[in-house]
Amino acid sequence: MDFSDFLVRKCPPTAMYIPNFITSEEEQIILSYIERTPKPKWNQLLNRRLINYGGIPHANGMVAEEIPEWLQTYVDKINNLNIFETQKANHVLVNEYRPGQGIMPHTDGPLFFPTISTISLGSHTILEFSKRENCLQNANETEPKSSTMEMKLDDRKILFKLILEPRSLLILKDSLYNDYLHSINEVEQDTLCDRICNYENCESTYKMGDCLKRSTRISLTIRNVPKTTKMKLKFF
């Protein structure tokens, strides 16, 4: 696929933003499956809840689990873009963000192939970027043994932002994967400003100073975990 039309040219390399990557009908199908997910499957954090599909990433190797068929459809759609080079996506992190919820500045870390693909559902959000050297403290995104690093900033110096619309796909790689932290501020509405870099890539037309109210957003972060392991079960 030629991504030249989707390249975000006003920020460091490399971000690609594809509006309406999925249809409204597909969005509703995905949301209906997620809504029916049993509560024990969710991992409740302080500022959001999440589900791992495909396994739990771990430094010793992810024990690969089968991804549900309804979700594998969209993993395959990402794989058809060949963004992981010779690898294929094998892990999906589902995050639920309610209005006022977000995620602290973090990098996805070395457990993953250095490319992130994220499909947004249900609501917009604003993804904020800051330089990695500003970090003071490590935390986690998925669970305590994950390589993902979530960090507190002494001074939240946000250098640029991206607006993520419902049904859009965002791909981050290169310097944006390795050298920058990305985060979502914990607010109930977003005021549009000139630090948002991808207005020209968006489906909708926005005006500076507009306030967009958030509703519940589901994100599907589809990635490749290079190191996997098969669990050997012994029966006695």
Side-chain angles (χ1 to χ4, degrees):
M1 179 175 178
D2 182 7
F3 288 100
S4 56
D5 290 341
F6 304 108
L7 193 64
V8 180
R9 303 182 187 278
K10 295 182 179 180
C11 69
T14 300
M16 291 166 283
Y17 181 81
I18 304 176
N20 290 320
F21 181 72
I22 61 172
T23 66
S24 296
E25 291 76 15
E26 289 176 311
E27 178 183 39
Q28 291 307 311
I29 290 170
I30 297 169
L31 290 174
S32 67
Y33 273 107
I34 291 173
E35 187 178 351
R36 298 199 299 269
T37 303
K39 192 172 181 180
K41 183 73 175 174
W42 290 94
N43 183 10
Q44 184 67 56
L45 305 183
L46 288 176
N47 55 352
R48 68 195 185 284
R49 61 178 186 163
L50 56 84
I51 310 171
N52 281 281
Y53 285 110
I56 304 294
H58 192 280
N60 293 332
M62 180 178 76
V63 178
E65 300 173 358
E66 188 173 358
I67 294 174
E69 185 176 351
W70 63 267
L71 187 54
Q72 185 64 46
T73 298
Y74 301 96
V75 174
D76 292 342
K77 191 169 183 178
I78 293 295
N79 282 330
N80 288 337
L81 301 177
N82 296 317
I83 61 173
F84 302 107
E85 299 176 2
T86 60
Q87 305 299 313
K88 298 291 185 182
N90 57 2
H91 179 263
V92 183
L93 181 66
V94 177
N95 273 298
E96 180 192 70
Y97 298 94
R98 296 183 179 181
Q101 294 183 332
I103 184 170
M104 297 187 69
H106 68 281
T107 66
D108 282 37
L111 290 189
F112 303 98
F113 185 93
T115 296
I116 310 167
S117 63
T118 302
I119 300 173
S120 295
L121 309 164
S123 176
H124 84 282
T125 198
I126 303 291
L127 197 62
E128 302 180 333
F129 292 83
S130 52
K131 283 296 281 185
R132 187 171 179 173
E133 61 260 29
N134 291 332
C135 66
L136 290 180
Q137 179 176 334
N138 293 345
N140 63 67
E141 180 186 17
T142 55
E143 53 96 24
K145 295 182 181 179
S146 168
S147 72
T148 302
M149 295 183 296
E150 189 173 323
M151 304 160 180
K152 291 183 179 180
L153 300 185
D154 184 32
D155 176 14
R156 279 181 60 88
K157 186 177 181 182
I158 304 302
L159 300 177
F160 55 92
K161 307 179 183 184
L162 298 174
I163 182 169
L164 309 185
E165 301 167 294
R167 300 175 296 282
S168 68
L169 171 68
L170 176 69
I171 300 168
L172 299 178
K173 56 188 294 188
D174 303 326
S175 179
L176 281 184
Y177 187 95
N178 295 305
D179 302 330
Y180 289 84
L181 311 177
H182 53 276
S183 59
I184 296 172
N185 199 11
E186 296 182 335
V187 296
E188 295 188 359
Q189 64 181 29
D190 297 286
T191 301
L192 302 185
C193 67
D194 59 4
R195 284 189 288 175
I196 295 175
C197 296
N198 65 322
Y199 287 126
E200 62 186 31
N201 302 83
C202 291
E203 168 71 12
S204 299
T205 301
Y206 300 100
K207 291 191 297 183
M208 215 68 65
D210 280 354
C211 287
L212 304 182
K213 290 186 177 181
R214 295 183 188 177
S215 53
T216 298
R217 172 178 174 263
I218 299 291
S219 66
L220 307 180
T221 301
I222 300 172
R223 296 174 288 196
N224 168 262
V225 179
K227 187 176 181 181
T228 61
T229 182
K230 299 291 184 181
M231 182 177 290
K232 296 181 180 179
L233 299 179
K234 294 184 178 180
F235 297 95
F236 298 96

